[in-house]
Amino acid sequence: MIRMAMVWERTVDVLRGRAAILAGIAFATLFLPAVLSAAVTSFGDVQAARLLASLVSAVLMLFGMLAITAVASDPHVDRGAAYRLAANRLPAAIGVTLVLIIALSLTFVPGTLALIAAGATVTAAGMVEMQRAAAGPLALSAGLILVAAALLLWLGARLAPLFAVVVNERLGLGAIRRAFALTRGAAARLIGVLILYAVLVMVLSVAVRSVVGVVLQLLLDSDGAVLFGTSVALAIVSAGATVVQNVFYAQYYAAARERDEAAPFA
């Protein structure tokens, strides 16, 4: 059985020992693209520019996650080697990610259809209006959406080492099956880690948004500048959280490999 405490200890060791490399990758591929996207969102009026900035930011973030995984997986991988590995595996990672996004989106289709059947409408501002919705179908929709959310959480746990598999085993769609094999018997513990991670990031993000937002509103007159400054602060939190998450998943992958290799001799 894989002990999450041991995985976390290894994660901390990697974060300490390879902090400079990880910070450099995070700055270039996670933080700067997020700042660019925030600038376009805060000061830009062209919807196409916002969409392009978001797309570029997403691809660079995926590239950065692969590079971070490479660094966390092998102590001999430096920044240059990590970038080369990430570039080599990026097409496969994009393909797997798109397939998963489409497949996981389908889990919310039944709940959405039930919501429409209940009589809910969408306002011009994009808000869902449910005042005239029928109670029965509305309750069914809520139940289906909760089931989909629980399924999404379970799948998130089972796919935790996905990018580590993509990087280290050079698999494409086959990485999904491999990730499931590596997380057998550990889904409940990984779900606990995911929930704890989400809560910590949410609390930290709310705190940063509140403090930075209030300070910037006192110092600046422009709403766009306040939004941009707050987004930059949140980008720091997001980049740090992404580094920790991917290093943890890489260390879980290593522990799972060790477990499987030792199993025939147990």
Side-chain angles (χ1 to χ4, degrees), residues 54-118:
S54 298
L55 181 61
V56 171
S57 179
V59 172
L60 286 175
M61 180 178 180
L62 186 57
F63 177 83
M65 292 168 66
L66 295 173
I68 290 167
T69 299
V71 170
S73 299
D74 187 346
H76 299 100
V77 172
D78 58 14
R79 189 180 307 176
Y83 283 151
R84 289 191 293 272
L85 282 168
N88 181 263
R89 302 307 300 152
L90 184 60
I94 291 175
V96 172
T97 301
L98 289 176
V99 169
L100 286 174
I101 288 175
I102 294 172
L104 296 177
S105 297
L106 295 177
T107 62
F108 289 93
V109 170
T112 302
L113 293 178
L115 190 62
I116 295 173

Side-chain angles (χ1 to χ4, degrees), residues 39 44 74 95 106 130 158 177 179 195 208 244:
D74 187 346
L106 295 177
M130 295 185 294
R158 297 305 305 268
R177 179 186 298 178
I195 293 175
V208 169
V244 174

